[in-house]
Amino acid sequence: MKHTFHMNLDWTGGRNDVGTIEAERLKTQISIPPEMDGPGIGTNPDEMLLGAAATCYIITLAAMLGRSELTHQGITIDAEGIVDVTNGVFTYETIRYATRVLMPQTATDRDISLVERIAKKAKDGCMISRALAGNVAFELDTTITRVD
């Protein structure tokens, strides 16, 4: 089985102008970010790549926890994308995830250890991570907290 996704893009003008993207469930403006001397209107490829990777990771993590019958009370991720600019060449180098998983107070030490292993597997196994493998490094810091 294959799935096909479509997106329409429109750009009129030069480097510092603004374009649009539209997909079935996404519509926004695009431009070069201010960090790269652009107008910073809408989103940009750097944010979109980070968003694609991070959403793939959090959905994969939630699904893997569910398949392992580990109930959680919330997952949050602070994601960071590092882009290097050397001699005018832009390279997306690293994506970092600071992941927090809230577990019930009844979670055992074995459950906590399993969540840590699953978080790493989800990072490495999601479709976007696999697509970027060998080109972008991924770093993971996972904090698991028992809550009432």
Side-chain angles (χ1 to χ4, degrees):
M1 175 186 295
K2 294 185 185 218
H3 302 280
T4 303
F5 298 92
H6 297 277
M7 180 177 283
N8 295 309
L9 298 92
D10 183 45
W11 190 277
T12 304
R15 179 193 188 281
N16 285 328
D17 287 309
V18 177
T20 59
I21 58 173
E22 185 172 354
E24 186 176 340
R25 291 169 286 281
L26 173 69
K27 181 177 182 176
T28 191
Q29 293 180 299
I30 54 171
S31 71
I32 296 172
E35 299 86 351
M36 297 175 182
D37 298 321
I41 297 171
T43 191
N44 58 71
D46 310 284
E47 285 180 342
M48 291 182 65
L49 182 62
L50 180 60
T55 55
C56 183
Y57 167 55
I58 199 168
I59 291 168
T60 301
L61 177 55
M64 291 176 78
L65 290 173
R67 282 194 300 274
S68 296
E69 298 181 2
L70 289 165
T71 57
H72 64 84
Q73 294 177 299
I75 302 169
T76 60
I77 297 171
D78 289 326
E80 179 179 49
I82 309 299
V83 176
D84 177 68
V85 182
T86 302
N87 298 325
V89 177
F90 294 79
T91 304
Y92 215 113
E93 286 189 335
T94 306
I95 292 176
R96 295 181 181 144
Y97 300 130
T99 304
R100 289 176 301 285
V101 181
L102 302 179
M103 296 294 291
Q105 198 63 250
T106 57
T108 65
D109 290 344
R110 182 182 176 282
D111 292 340
I112 301 298
S113 178
L114 185 55
V115 170
E116 289 172 345
R117 288 196 315 271
I118 288 172
K120 183 178 182 332
K121 278 186 164 183
K123 172 192 65 81
D124 295 336
C126 93
M127 176 179 65
I128 303 299
S129 297
R130 288 185 289 112
L132 297 173
N135 294 304
V136 176
F138 286 86
E139 297 174 2
L140 176 63
D141 178 37
T142 304
T143 302
I144 302 164
T145 306
R146 290 181 178 100
V147 296
D148 291 328

